[in-house]
Amino acid sequence: MTDTEMPDPLQMANLGIQHAIPVVHRMGVRFVEVRPGFAAAEVPFEDNGNHFGVMYAGVLFTVAEVLGGAIGITTFDSAKYFPLVKDLRINFRRPARSTVRASTSLAPEAVSAITAAADAHGKADFTLVAEIVDAEGTVVATTEGLYQLRTHGS
């Protein structure tokens, strides 16, 4: 990569985890797809199991929670805004015994409304609903997170 080339958003998101949240990186969480309004991450089962042979609940929570940061960075101007999590609820549905994938999205209309509110008030709340599926496509958990987009300096 030359000095004038920018890393792609997927590479930036994965480097962000590695450097900003090392514990998440050590779990093996990695983004597999990021674009404006969409993010997906995976985490392997290996080394993330619990005492009864299924994926540890905290790992499932983590792979869904980090989606808010990826959406925030790839959807909004990171020179002007930053995201943070305010609340996240998880509904465990089935045990996970394989790699899992979490994904979420924001509609373009929501992005416009969030941006306008953040510009007007210095911050704007938004909700992300994520689905976590195992290697067979079975939904193992769902989350609903309340995030906030803030302008730098607010």
Side-chain angles (χ1 to χ4, degrees):
M1 183 180 325
T2 67
D3 289 340
T4 57
E5 290 179 50
M6 294 296 295
D8 68 67
L10 184 60
Q11 182 183 14
M12 287 174 41
N14 282 312
L15 285 171
I17 283 180
Q18 184 177 352
H19 296 290
I21 319 170
V23 67
V24 174
H25 177 70
R26 286 191 301 273
M27 285 179 195
V29 173
R30 67 182 180 87
F31 290 105
V32 293
E33 189 176 353
V34 294
R35 63 179 185 274
F38 182 83
E42 290 184 348
V43 64
F45 177 75
E46 185 179 357
D47 296 327
N48 287 315
N50 64 15
H51 58 289
F52 59 95
V54 300
M55 188 170 284
Y56 174 60
V59 175
L60 292 170
F61 180 94
T62 300
V63 74
E65 189 280 324
V66 297
L67 297 174
I71 286 275
I73 291 168
T74 61
T75 304
F76 303 99
D77 180 356
S78 60
K80 187 172 183 179
Y81 309 103
F82 67 94
L84 56 86
V85 64
K86 292 178 68 177
D87 183 43
L88 189 97
R89 289 179 303 274
I90 188 164
N91 179 5
F92 299 103
R93 296 179 147 187
R94 300 275 185 276
R97 294 181 175 91
S98 67
T99 293
V100 298
R101 177 185 172 111
S103 60
T104 193
S105 63
L106 265 180
E109 313 78 60
V111 171
S112 296
I114 295 161
T115 302
D119 287 341
H121 307 289
K123 59 186 174 181
D125 289 350
F126 63 98
T127 300
L128 291 176
V129 175
E131 188 173 76
I132 307 167
V133 298
D134 67 12
E136 288 75 43
T138 301
V139 176
V140 298
T142 57
T143 63
E144 183 174 320
L146 178 62
Y147 293 83
Q148 189 171 82
L149 187 70
R150 289 190 177 195
T151 57
H152 291 286
S154 64

